[in-house]
Amino acid sequence: MSVEIIGITVLWIFLYGYLMVASIDFGAGFYSFYAKVTDKKHSIRVVIDRYLSPVWEVTNVFLVFFFVGLIGFFPDTAYYYGTALLVPGSIALVLLAIRGSFYAFANYGVRENSIYLFLYGVSGLFIPASLSIVLTISEGGFIVEEGGHVHLLFSELFSSTYSWIVVLLSIVSVLFISASFLTYYAQRAEDNDAFQLMRKATLIWSGPTILLSFLVFLTLRTHNLEHFLAMVGEFHFFALSLIFFIGAVWLIYKQRYLGTAFIFVALQYGFAFFGYGYTHLPYILYPKLTIYESITGDEMGISLIIAFISGLILLIPSLFMLFRLFIFNADYTKAQGNK
Amino acid sequence: MEFDTLLLSRLLTFITLAFHIIFATIGVGLPLYICLAELIGIKRKDPYFILLARRWTRGYIILVAVGVVTGTIIGLQLSLLWPSFMQKAGHLVGLPLFMETFAFFFEAIFLGIYIYTWDRFSNPIFHWLLSIPVVIGSSASAFFITTVNAFMNTPRGFTLVDGSFLNVQPLVAMFNPATPTKVAHVLTTAYLTSGFVLASITAYFLLKGKGHVYYKKALHLSMIGCLVFSIFTMLNGDFAGKYLAKYQPEKLAAAEWHFETESRAKLLLGGILDEETLEVKYGIGIPAALSILAYNSPDAEVIGLNDFPRDLWPPLYIHYFFNIMIFSGMFLAFVAVLYFVFYYVKALNSLHPWILRGIFIGGPLAMLAIESGWIMTEVGRQPWILVGLMRTGEAVTTAGQVFEMLILFTSLYFVLGLLVPVILIRLFSKKSAETEIEKRGIIL
């Protein structure tokens, strides 16, 4: 395998990791706010306290990792995306900052503050929306280069059906992924109220999730035919994704094997995400930038890969330990507020 | 228009970093003190030190969170505001940036575990062990990010062919001539500043009449750090001066308003410069001291600014920041030494109000020194973003909305800057050390 393929695969794995852990986090923020508004105070908030607080920083690192790696492997992306994304990128950063500080301030009374809880809940939906704009832009047609200057065509972006559907899909997915995880977690914690609430939420959001996924397909056809045809050519990815989706919803409906159900959701998004990424190749920004022309030198590419592998040797056991201690630890999950 | 974007982008980068380094510095230094306090507590079976570690950790969580979010911001802002720089240098600084993220990852994982596992292990030493990766991770990320900045000062590890950087050698780029002095200085000043911030807070309580032995132990532990690291800081500050004389003489010359190349160059303290006539008023010059600082010999010749074309001069106001840094550093070392002299001489009282006052202002002063030293070194490499290779103006974004983003981020930092102290004060006054000592049943 060439350096550029390894590079983009590594990055894509990290982006997928971010997609999953951040979705749980973002969705939980929204459900937490919902619980406050509807006065269902109890359960979801405890879940956030006990599961999300120890891992929020790790969530954040997945994202930082992705874009640092992207620029290390493909420095040209900095030029196009960096210039074009000044505004959406900055907005996403401010929202991320609000959320990040929330975790720190939460333990000291801010959690009960409605304004902050509102910001926390709403930012959880706006961040995926603003980040998904990057995926839309990568399909081409929104960045122009004139006389050495790069511009983002805001009006085109705002009037594009495709871009709105991607945004909606990202929001709905966040709510769906998060709910399916919290269903599992609430059951492990033997919190029946939270379990029923999250189960209902999962089932409610499953419909829009799959509907919007199909719409993304359809609108991509008019926006970027080449990519659409590539996706049709690799249809098995998306068929598998659909099968796992059906499996997950079925298990949650039946209230059985909820851990497996969440793994199915992860696989559903995994197949769709990697299928999407695979068919997007070789373009990083259609049609201006491919992985081949923007690649960093071999020496740097190889040292990045070495750094990456040695990093993984360090990270995987540590992450495993983190998850063992907080997520797959029944005693800890059940224990209520004895911090 | 072009100029406006450049100025605004520089301003936005400045504001973000100036805000970030407050939290980053403490983020690097504080874990060391927490780790030490917990270890002493376990080894001596002293519950006060355990409590100290717990309370410092609580404050640390808040500070590190703001450090993380502002760090994420600056990480992305590099590409958003300086896209051409990242395009050109991305493949040169990719490795250390990547490694920094790993170190950060490592720290984040273990910090999460550390914070939420007090009392979860039967043997407390296991909990203490978790603090080690936090100390290593935070210092390692400082190390890696500093190598990136060092690279911008002395770019190495490539060959320049028609304006592109080819034959990249990532390790040579990382371990460039500026790396050793910069890393040493960044790390020791971070430990020093954190020590003084902790000592300053404790001194405040002691000055307010809280006489509990808990405070005395806290003060003493942080003062040991202050003493050790102020010595190291002075030493590597001297190395940093020698590095500048050799590799970036224009920065040193601008910081010292040293215009004519000459031997027995004088070190200038204070003073006001007339930028038109380049005449210095009210300054105190120490003959030959600059030659000694630069080359360890009073007769050594130090290159002056007049040897450089005027448009490559760094802004001359960096002299003021240079002086603030040095005066603050000297003051900190003086206070630390004084405290220990008074501590070990039986007849004297190391908790004398005047010493405590000195320690109390030492905290803010240390932070001021960090900011000034950083301004001096960053502004001192203007007009370059990559010294000798790329002007800052060539690297700036062409996007037109930098002003709006400046407002956006400034408001964010303003709100965070208000919230953080309010929450910290509320946190610690709601649960004072005395009530916690009582509640935990620590025997007096």
Side-chain angles (χ1 to χ4, degrees):
Chain A
M1 254 203 291
S2 58
V3 172
E4 49 266 40
I5 294 289
I6 299 176
I8 197 76
T9 310
V10 164
L11 295 176
W12 209 242
I13 290 169
F14 269 88
L15 196 57
Y16 172 71
Y18 182 69
L19 180 96
M20 295 310 292
V21 288
S23 292
I24 293 171
D25 183 10
F26 294 152
F30 177 78
Y31 290 123
S32 173
F33 173 63
Y34 170 81
K36 167 99 181 178
V37 173
T38 56
D39 226 19
K40 290 184 179 110
K41 213 166 172 186
H42 53 82
S43 35
I44 310 164
R45 314 270 287 282
V46 177
V47 170
I48 294 177
D49 226 5
R50 302 195 69 77
Y51 157 69
L52 290 171
S53 298
V55 296
W56 81 265
E57 236 190 302
V58 175
T59 309
N60 210 39
V61 184
F62 272 96
L63 178 68
V64 179
F65 212 104
F66 170 74
F67 66 71
V68 165
L70 185 70
I71 286 158
F73 275 110
F74 308 104
D76 281 354
T77 53
Y79 177 65
Y80 287 103
Y81 285 115
T83 313
L85 291 173
L86 179 66
V87 175
S90 297
I91 291 170
L93 282 175
V94 170
L95 294 171
L96 279 170
I98 292 171
R99 285 186 76 77
S101 51
F102 176 85
Y103 282 113
F105 301 163
N107 292 327
Y108 311 108
V110 177
R111 172 151 296 159
E112 296 310 318
N113 182 325
S114 298
I115 298 170
Y116 219 84
L117 203 60
F118 168 76
L119 285 173
Y120 173 69
V122 172
S123 66
L125 300 184
F126 278 122
I127 294 169
S130 59
L131 291 177
S132 68
I133 289 176
V134 183
L135 288 182
T136 313
I137 290 173
S138 78
E139 294 295 342
F142 300 111
I143 290 183
V144 287
E145 202 180 1
E146 287 167 346
H149 287 207
V150 175
H151 296 286
L152 180 64
L153 303 171
F154 279 104
S155 52
E156 309 256 328
L157 192 63
F158 278 113
S159 59
S160 153
T161 325
Y162 175 71
S163 93
W164 282 108
I165 291 193
V166 171
V167 165
L168 286 178
L169 177 63
S170 73
I171 293 172
V172 168
S173 297
V174 159
L175 294 170
F176 176 67
I177 294 171
S178 183
S180 67
F181 176 79
L182 292 173
T183 308
Y184 159 72
Y185 197 79
Q187 189 228 24
R188 286 288 306 248
E190 294 175 4
D191 184 336
N192 201 44
D193 285 351
F195 169 65
Q196 288 303 338
L197 191 69
M198 283 300 111
R199 175 174 168 267
K200 218 163 81 191
T202 318
L203 297 174
I204 288 170
W205 292 114
S206 66
T209 303
I210 209 69
L211 179 73
L212 284 163
S213 303
F214 278 116
L215 282 178
V216 164
F217 254 111
L218 289 180
T219 46
L220 184 64
R221 187 193 158 91
T222 47
H223 187 78
N224 182 339
L225 188 63
E226 196 178 330
H227 189 186
F228 173 78
L229 292 175
M231 279 169 94
V232 172
E234 300 288 343
F235 199 74
H236 49 272
F237 276 113
F238 306 98
L240 279 169
S241 172
L242 182 65
I243 290 167
F244 281 114
F245 167 77
I246 293 166
V249 174
W250 175 252
L251 287 177
I252 287 170
Y253 178 70
K254 284 281 170 192
Q255 311 192 17
R256 258 184 289 168
Y257 305 114
L258 295 169
T260 315
F262 177 70
I263 291 170
F264 279 7
V265 171
L267 288 169
Q268 171 206 338
Y269 278 90
F271 279 108
F273 190 71
F274 283 93
Y276 170 85
Y278 180 66
T279 51
H280 198 291
L281 288 179
Y283 295 104
I284 304 183
L285 174 61
Y286 182 88
K288 289 187 190 332
L289 218 60
T290 72
I291 54 170
Y292 299 105
E293 61 213 24
S294 67
I295 183 75
T296 189
D298 259 3
E299 301 87 343
M300 185 47 97
I302 288 160
S303 43
L304 281 179
I305 289 166
I306 293 170
F308 175 73
I309 290 167
S310 37
L312 275 191
I313 292 168
L314 202 70
L315 283 184
I316 289 173
S318 322
L319 273 176
F320 180 74
M321 188 171 156
L322 183 74
F323 286 126
R324 265 309 285 267
L325 278 168
F326 294 105
I327 298 174
F328 304 107
N329 186 318
D331 292 338
Y332 178 73
T333 347
K334 278 179 217 161
Q336 305 273 327
N338 63 343
K339 199 169 20 173
Chain B
M1 188 61 213
E2 211 57 5
F3 174 75
D4 275 346
T5 306
L6 174 60
L7 196 69
L8 292 168
S9 300
R10 283 182 61 192
L11 200 57
L12 178 49
T13 310
F14 166 75
I15 290 172
T16 301
L17 271 169
F19 193 68
H20 174 65
I21 58 173
I22 296 172
F23 301 94
T25 303
I26 296 179
V28 171
L30 194 49
L32 183 72
Y33 293 90
I34 295 172
C35 174
L36 282 176
E38 196 187 4
L39 181 66
I40 297 170
I42 293 169
K43 285 284 167 207
R44 293 195 196 155
K45 299 206 185 336
D46 185 336
Y48 294 128
F49 277 103
I50 302 277
L51 181 66
L52 191 58
R54 286 181 98 116
R55 288 176 66 85
W56 279 348
T57 306
R58 252 177 257 153
Y60 180 66
I61 301 167
I62 292 185
L63 296 170
V64 88
V66 180
V68 167
V69 296
T70 51
T72 308
I73 290 173
I74 190 64
L76 257 147
Q77 251 177 16
L78 271 182
S79 301
L80 295 175
L81 292 174
W82 313 100
S84 306
F85 165 69
M86 289 309 278
Q87 182 190 23
K88 257 195 143 173
H91 64 169
L92 283 151
V93 295
L95 183 68
L97 282 176
F98 207 59
M99 305 272 278
E100 197 237 346
T101 324
F102 265 124
F104 173 33
F105 218 142
F106 196 54
E107 182 197 346
I109 289 172
F110 283 94
L111 184 65
I113 301 176
Y114 184 79
I115 294 169
Y116 289 90
T117 53
W118 287 96
D119 303 327
R120 254 178 92 179
F121 299 102
S122 50
N123 187 346
I125 207 80
F126 288 123
H127 183 260
W128 173 75
L129 284 173
L130 291 167
S131 69
I132 292 177
V134 179
V135 175
I136 295 175
S138 58
S139 295
S141 58
F143 168 79
F144 289 119
I145 204 67
T146 308
T147 67
V148 175
N149 183 271
F151 172 82
M152 292 163 85
N153 279 280
T154 47
R156 295 289 188 278
F158 55 87
T159 26
L160 193 63
V161 181
D162 299 331
S164 338
F165 306 138
L166 300 177
N167 300 324
V168 175
Q169 294 165 281
L171 290 176
V172 179
M174 242 176 100
F175 294 95
N176 59 73
T179 299
T181 48
K182 264 194 195 290
V183 167
H185 205 58
V186 163
L187 286 177
T188 52
T189 53
Y191 300 140
L192 173 64
T193 303
S194 303
F196 256 104
V197 167
L198 295 174
S200 171
I201 294 166
T202 319
Y204 171 77
F205 286 122
L206 286 164
L207 276 170
K208 277 190 69 178
K210 299 200 174 196
H212 199 284
V213 63
Y214 167 84
Y215 294 104
K216 291 170 187 162
K217 289 182 174 185
L219 184 73
H220 195 65
L221 176 63
S222 9
M223 285 314 290
I224 292 174
C226 295
L227 181 72
V228 171
F229 293 115
S230 58
I231 294 166
F232 277 117
T233 299
M234 281 196 286
L235 274 178
N236 60 42
D238 181 58
F239 291 137
K242 292 179 172 45
Y243 150 80
L244 280 182
K246 190 169 175 196
Y247 292 97
Q248 289 182 285
E250 72 274 31
K251 193 192 272 187
L252 185 67
E256 276 301 314
W257 292 338
H258 176 65
F259 298 104
E260 293 301 330
T261 300
E262 60 190 9
S263 58
R264 301 190 66 80
K266 66 175 195 296
L267 187 75
L268 182 69
L269 299 179
I272 295 168
L273 182 78
D274 184 331
E275 296 246 1
E276 296 292 312
T277 59
L278 299 182
E279 269 168 33
V280 182
K281 275 184 224 160
Y282 314 120
I284 305 164
I286 305 172
L290 188 60
S291 294
I292 296 175
L293 175 74
Y295 298 103
N296 265 349
S297 143
D299 295 319
E301 198 176 67
V302 181
I303 300 169
L305 264 186
N306 288 341
D307 286 14
F308 298 91
R310 191 77 190 245
D311 69 321
L312 292 184
W313 284 16
L316 294 170
Y317 63 79
I318 61 171
H319 175 73
Y320 303 114
F321 291 101
F322 189 52
N323 275 197
I324 293 173
M325 174 185 82
I326 293 192
F327 284 131
S328 312
M330 293 291 177
F331 177 82
L332 297 180
F334 174 73
V335 170
V337 169
L338 205 63
Y339 170 85
F340 279 94
V341 169
F342 274 56
Y343 186 83
Y344 284 107
V345 176
K346 280 275 179 293
L348 298 170
N349 173 18
S350 64
L351 298 177
H352 188 279
W354 276 109
I355 295 187
L356 291 178
R357 281 181 197 126
I359 296 172
F360 173 63
I361 58 170
L365 215 55
M367 202 47 92
L368 182 70
I370 292 277
E371 296 277 359
S372 311
W374 165 73
I375 291 172
M376 179 256 167
T377 186
E378 293 306 294
V379 178
R381 76 177 142 92
Q382 291 305 324
W384 304 105
I385 191 166
L386 274 176
V387 172
L389 295 172
M390 188 183 211
R391 299 269 193 127
T392 313
E394 301 166 46
V396 75
T397 181
T398 50
Q401 299 88 356
V402 181
F403 181 72
E404 289 81 350
M405 297 305 112
L406 181 67
I407 302 289
L408 180 73
F409 282 106
T410 310
S411 333
L412 173 72
Y413 305 143
F414 185 75
V415 172
L416 285 178
L418 281 179
L419 267 177
V420 169
V422 166
I423 284 175
L424 280 175
I425 291 168
R426 202 161 82 178
L427 162 69
F428 284 104
S429 54
K430 209 165 69 182
K431 231 178 170 185
S432 76
E434 286 83 0
T435 56
E436 237 182 313
I437 289 167
E438 224 171 286
K439 212 183 98 202
R440 290 181 185 277
I442 299 171
I443 295 138
L444 302 174

